[in-house]
Amino acid sequence: MLWRKRLFAHLYPRLSARHEALVAERKRALFQEALGRVRPERVLEIGPGPGTNLAYLPPGVAYLALEPNPFFHPRLREEAKRRGLALTLLPGRAEAIPLPEESVDLVVGTLVFCSVADPEKALEEVHRVLRPGGAYLFLEHVAAPKGTPLRLFQEAATPFFVFFGDGCHPNRKTIALIQARFPRVEAEAFSLPLPVVAPHVAGLAFKE
């Protein structure tokens, strides 16, 4: 429903500010690692929202953004212009990326695979559009270990998050899905002082 997408786009920058402060240094190091190893000319970001991650990209890269929530688009355009990045907004969703095979050097997805409708299909698409030697950079909140009180809380909270959080699933086992699609994954698990979504994982997955 459009009103939920509009509300989410309005609230998200405020809601995510604390999270971004907690992960900014980790993100910066992760982007520097990816940029140094891949040296991308074309970068695709899935679900960039208001464009928070543009701060970690160097000027001059061709930046492709797949953002299905249209209410993020004006802010995303403004941020790309401010950062000196050539922005191309792509239609569609992560499960059907409208790009040719092996056409991008780096795919970025942060706090997005919790909300895609079909994460396995979306990861297939990420793998398809990456060139050999390219990388998928990810930072996601993930499910707590099975049987723990936090996991039980995540399971109970998921319907609320899905409804008000634009499809967010706090109980999703994203790292297992990434490892199933990419044979070479360098990842680190960590926890943040946040309710429900404390467990996180971040890293790089490489296409051979």
Side-chain angles (χ1 to χ4, degrees):
M1 299 175 71
L2 281 181
W3 71 266
R4 281 159 54 188
K5 289 188 176 296
R6 185 190 295 272
L7 178 64
F8 184 74
H10 177 71
L11 295 177
Y12 183 78
R14 298 174 179 84
L15 295 173
S16 66
R18 184 187 177 201
H19 184 276
E20 184 61 22
L22 291 169
V23 300
E25 288 304 314
R26 191 182 301 269
K27 258 196 202 179
R28 186 170 293 108
L30 188 59
F31 271 86
Q32 287 176 350
E33 179 74 10
L35 295 172
R37 295 171 69 175
V38 177
R39 300 194 178 280
E41 296 180 1
R42 286 167 58 85
V43 176
L44 165 67
E45 183 167 9
I46 297 171
T52 304
N53 290 331
L54 272 64
Y56 304 104
L57 293 174
V61 300
Y63 177 72
L64 313 172
L66 184 67
E67 176 49 69
N69 188 331
F71 300 106
F72 278 125
H73 291 180
R75 190 186 292 260
L76 186 58
R77 289 190 182 96
E78 290 175 8
E79 187 65 13
K81 183 178 180 181
R82 188 170 76 86
R83 298 282 178 183
L85 292 169
L87 168 67
T88 300
L89 274 170
L90 300 176
R93 304 185 66 85
E95 295 88 349
I97 300 173
L99 290 173
E101 291 184 11
E102 301 181 358
S103 58
V104 297
D105 307 300
L106 178 67
V107 177
V108 174
T110 66
L111 300 183
V112 66
F113 266 82
C114 61
S115 59
V116 297
D118 187 341
E120 291 93 342
K121 178 60 177 174
L123 284 166
E124 286 181 15
E125 283 289 277
V126 169
H127 189 272
R128 181 183 66 81
V129 301
L130 273 174
R131 64 161 172 82
Y136 165 47
L137 182 156
F138 58 91
L139 188 153
E140 302 283 354
H141 65 78
V142 295
K146 190 174 181 180
T148 62
L150 179 54
R151 178 64 175 275
L152 295 174
F153 188 34
Q154 287 177 333
E155 298 290 350
T158 290
F160 177 86
F161 271 67
V162 168
F163 187 83
F164 289 103
D166 207 17
C168 175
H169 291 72
N171 62 345
R172 188 161 279 173
K173 296 178 281 188
T174 303
I175 186 58
L177 300 176
I178 295 171
Q179 290 169 333
R181 176 65 270 185
F182 289 85
R184 184 179 162 207
V185 180
E186 300 173 6
E188 177 189 12
F190 60 99
S191 185
L192 296 180
L194 297 171
V196 188
V197 294
H200 280 64
V201 66
L204 299 172
F206 293 91
K207 182 173 180 178
E208 301 292 346

